[in-house]
């Protein structure tokens, strides 16, 4: 019959071996779990960055859409031109080195002069007549068609001085700046507008209305957010005012006390300097003693 102590020793060996294997297994599983957790965390972090980047990009795109469409919608209301025509003329003007603001101002001046000339009044009536244009006939056209019709006649003038004078008479002082846009007449403007359509640069009135509404909503949001800050400031104003007054009083009293006790302040500074010097000397002594 086997010795009982030997049996117990064998059992302990088996249990110890099993325990070691279990510990090793748990350690390995823990390491794998930690590695998996780190991998998932890294993926989550990258996805968060990508998501935030995408949201930021979409936000910027929405803002650009709102500003561009809103500006065209407002300009359409001021000039009477369709959004589609304006978006195409915006490209044509840019290609010709003409600023859109200058084009808008010139078009508005042109419309005013056409309306006056149609009634037989206005200084531009002779300019239309010299170009062989009927102000009454022009009045029946859309603003972009009026521009193209006038450009066609201006392009026929061979004398640059006469061409510039006629342009300024019809379009105002900035009229001469439009000549690069009109140098090839109606055909040149039409070709640039066709190119804008081919490039997908034409904005529809429907899109411009949506952009204008978004632009107005963003402006309202900004104003509301700004008002929130002022409301918080208004709520904090009494507390901050009383705190500021209290601090001002303390500072004023301190300054008065310092003026009346300059000698004490100088003495205190001397004591502080002496203590600092003693500290440095003791530090040096301690360093030497430790060598």
């Amino acid at each position: 019959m086997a010795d009982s102590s030997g049996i117990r020793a064998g059992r302990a060996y088996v249990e110890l071996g099993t325990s070691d294997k279990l510990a090793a297994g748990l350690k390995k599983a823990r390491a794998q779990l930690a590695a998996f957790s780190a991998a998932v965390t890294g993926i989550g972090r990258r996805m968060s960055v990508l998501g935030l980047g995408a949201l930021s990009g979409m936000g910027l795109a929405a803002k650009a859409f709102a500003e561009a469409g809103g500006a065209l919608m407002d300009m359409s209301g001021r000039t009477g031109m369709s959004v589609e025509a304006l978006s195409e003329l915006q490209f044509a003007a840019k290609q010709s080195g003409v600023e859109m603001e200058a084009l808008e101002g010139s078009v508005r001046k042109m419309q005013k002069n056409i309306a006056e000339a149609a009634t037989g009044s206005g200084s531009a009536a002779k300019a239309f007549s010299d170009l062989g244009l009927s102000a009454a006939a022009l009045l029946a056209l859309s603003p972009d068609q009026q521009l193209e019709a006038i450009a066609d006649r201006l392009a026929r003038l061979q004398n640059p001085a006469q061409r510039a004078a006629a342009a300024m008479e019809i379009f105002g002082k900035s009229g001469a700046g439009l000549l690069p846009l009109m140098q090839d007449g109606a055909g040149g403007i039409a070709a640039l507008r066709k190119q804008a359509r081919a490039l997908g640069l034409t904005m529809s009135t429907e899109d411009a209305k949506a952009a204008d509404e978004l632009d107005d909503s963003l402006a309202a949001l900004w104003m509301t957010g700004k008002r929130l800050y002022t409301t918080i400031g208004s709520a904090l104003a009494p507390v901050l005012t009383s705190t500021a007054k209290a601090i001002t009083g303390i500072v004023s009293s301190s300054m008065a006390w310092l003026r009346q006790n300059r000698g004490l302040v100088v003495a205190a500074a001397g004591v502080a300097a002496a203590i600092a010097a003693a500290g440095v000397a003791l530090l040096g002594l301690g360093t030497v003693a430790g060598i």
Side-chain angles (χ1 to χ4, degrees), residues 249-269:
I250 294 170
V251 172
S252 298
S253 299
S254 299
M255 290 175 64
W257 184 87
L258 288 171
R259 282 194 295 267
Q260 294 171 4
N261 299 274
R262 290 183 180 180
L264 182 59
V265 173
V266 172

Side-chain angles (χ1 to χ4, degrees), residues 34-130:
F36 175 74
S37 175
V40 171
T41 301
I43 293 171
R45 187 180 296 113
R46 286 191 289 272
M47 289 179 66
S48 297
V49 171
L50 288 173
L52 290 173
L55 286 173
S56 177
M58 287 188 286
L60 291 174
K63 186 174 185 297
F65 168 71
E67 289 177 350
L72 286 174
M73 198 68 195
D74 292 341
M75 199 178 297
S76 176
R78 291 191 297 265
T79 62
M81 278 193 188
S82 68
V83 170
E84 289 79 3
L86 280 170
S87 59
E88 293 168 6
L89 285 173
Q90 189 174 44
F91 171 78
K94 190 69 175 177
Q95 293 295 101
S96 305
V98 177
E99 294 296 329
M100 196 59 185
E101 291 78 8
L103 177 60
E104 180 192 350
S106 297
V107 167
R108 291 166 66 182
K109 182 68 174 178
M110 173 197 75
Q111 292 174 302
K112 177 177 179 294
N113 285 330
I114 289 174
E116 289 179 352
T119 62
S121 62
S123 58
K126 185 176 185 304
F128 288 119
S129 178
D130 290 343

